[in-house]
Amino acid sequence: MPNDSHLFENYVRRGDLESLSALVSRHSVWMLALLRGMLNSASDADDAFQDTWIRVIKSADRYKGGNIRAYLAIVARSVAVDFLRRRGRDMRFEPLVNENDEAIEIPDSSPTPDDRFESLARSDDVMRALADLPEGPRQVFLMRIEAELSFREIAETMDIPIGTALTWMQSAKVKLKKILGRLR
Amino acid sequence: MMDKFEAFIKNKLEEGVAPSLSSLSVIKLAAKENSKTRCPSGRVRFLFAGLVAAVLSAIIALTVLFQFKDVDSREIARASKSISHSDNVTIQIIELLSVNDGENQDFTHISSDIDRLLSWQDAPYNEVAYEYSNQF
């Protein structure tokens, strides 16, 4: 089975639509989940999904090889941020670093063990819980679990220190557990 | 590596998620349009390559031609200079023509040139040299 880079190059160099189609279908689920999580709207996520691929297609020359999932995630996030800006949503990140740019330790105060969520939470609950997260931690969390980016890649993409990315990830998990615990 | 909680959230987020058919159609259309502009057909590419090759060949040919022309002009100019300082016009003119013999095989033309230039022996040296060099 050809890898992602081959599929993309087949499209860029030979105009092979089958290769692009295979790439879209291979990356559609996680990308849509990422966009749904960021935009908290299935219809906006679908529009953003479409815009992401159009942007990828039109700027295919910019792809210089490497992890295509990370490349797609960066474009998808950028499209989602544009959507949020248009929506006029407050995009300010919560400061979770001190004045020395050091991560503030957030204790995991969740009283509920992880296992309990599995049988109780539904997809809608997760969406609602994510919507309650501050923008920064939510993006870091989604980029981490859906796009599977490293913390370094996340930090570069979001233009934040790596310590902040790590802190936001931890904070997102703690808050999600709390929110899901309340929704239960 | 994803922990259990992260994997659980990921699974929940991806539950029942699929792009709409209209989105997929738009993406396909955009890809098709883009590949038209990005990837020309084989025939167009062949014609374009042929055109580029023809232009490059012409440039190379012209460069070579002008290089030889420059050599001739330089030799003639050098010879013209020596004529202008010589008392023996006829000998200098013949020498001048012999420089050009290797390049110009039209001996009839050279002979007539010699005859014509010899008939100008009374003309000032510089004028004769100038007239001859302008012919090339």
Side-chain angles (χ1 to χ4, degrees), chain B residues 70-80 96 99-100 103:
Chain B
D70 283 347
V71 169
D72 283 351
S73 306
R74 281 199 297 274
E75 284 171 348
I76 289 163
R78 208 181 307 127
S80 303
L96 165 67
V99 168
N100 209 40
E103 306 294 333

Side-chain angles (χ1 to χ4, degrees), chain A residues 89-152:
Chain A
R89 189 170 171 157
D90 185 9
M91 286 291 295
R92 282 174 300 171
F93 295 144
E94 283 190 351
L96 289 172
V97 288
N98 62 23
E99 62 275 10
N100 298 322
D101 202 29
E102 291 162 342
I104 297 168
E105 186 131 350
I106 297 175
D108 187 352
S109 57
S110 171
T112 319
D114 295 348
D115 292 350
R116 291 179 62 180
F117 294 114
E118 289 193 36
S119 55
L120 299 167
R122 295 171 306 159
S123 185
D124 289 349
D125 295 333
V126 171
M127 286 295 292
R128 261 182 287 161
L130 271 172
D132 280 350
L133 289 183
E135 197 61 53
R138 182 152 55 108
Q139 284 191 25
V140 170
F141 184 80
L142 288 166
M143 298 280 273
R144 179 70 182 165
I145 67 162
E146 290 298 348
E148 294 173 9
L149 297 189
S150 68
F151 283 109
R152 187 170 298 282

Side-chain angles (χ1 to χ4, degrees), chain B residues 51-107:
Chain B
L51 185 67
V52 169
V55 169
L56 282 176
S57 305
I59 289 170
I60 291 166
L62 285 171
T63 307
V64 170
L65 195 69
F66 278 105
Q67 208 170 11
F68 280 118
K69 191 171 180 287
D70 283 347
V71 169
D72 283 351
S73 306
R74 281 199 297 274
E75 284 171 348
I76 289 163
R78 208 181 307 127
S80 303
K81 198 177 174 186
S82 73
I83 286 172
S84 68
H85 292 93
S86 167
D87 291 328
N88 192 336
V89 177
T90 307
I91 290 171
Q92 290 296 328
I93 289 172
I94 289 167
E95 280 176 0
L96 165 67
L97 291 171
S98 71
V99 168
N100 209 40
D101 267 353
E103 306 294 333
N104 190 350
Q105 296 300 313
D106 187 0
F107 290 106

